[in-house]
Amino acid sequence: MNQATSRPELPDHLSIDPRSPHHVAAVFEHDIGIRFNDKERFDVEEYCISEGWIKVPAGKTLDRKGRALTIKLKGKVEVFYR
């Protein structure tokens, strides 16, 4: 069977947080890459291709629930399977 056919289609909006409505567990069974403004990023927590933004951790800062505080960066978002 072809590897590409067994992969789910990459969603327009995806989050690594399992509590998020934009979390798709099947996508995380495969290695995905995210290019932001033509530079590959490895720290992306959430992205939206159609709106053109990613969320990345803001240093080591945590919110009151102990999760990493994120900042939204706007630009060109490309998502692909490795």
Side-chain angles (χ1 to χ4, degrees):
M1 188 161 103
N2 186 348
Q3 176 93 25
T5 57
S6 64
R7 295 174 174 169
E9 193 173 318
L10 287 165
D12 174 61
H13 189 157
L14 183 67
S15 172
I16 63 169
D17 185 356
R19 294 175 297 245
S20 168
H22 302 291
H23 181 81
V24 182
V27 170
F28 293 107
E29 292 173 9
H30 308 283
D31 195 17
I32 62 172
I34 298 170
R35 227 179 266 115
F36 181 70
N37 290 338
D38 299 321
K39 206 169 171 187
E40 194 163 353
R41 299 285 301 242
F42 301 96
D43 59 347
V44 177
E45 302 230 341
E46 191 171 345
Y47 73 78
C48 183
I49 298 169
S50 62
E51 294 175 19
W53 55 261
I54 61 172
K55 284 187 182 177
V56 294
K60 301 207 181 310
T61 312
L62 301 176
D63 68 8
R64 64 179 183 264
K65 295 181 177 131
R67 291 181 289 226
L69 202 62
T70 60
I71 54 173
K72 187 186 275 190
L73 303 174
K74 290 193 165 276
K76 188 172 85 173
V77 181
E78 296 172 79
V79 185
F80 57 93
Y81 281 114
R82 290 205 170 93

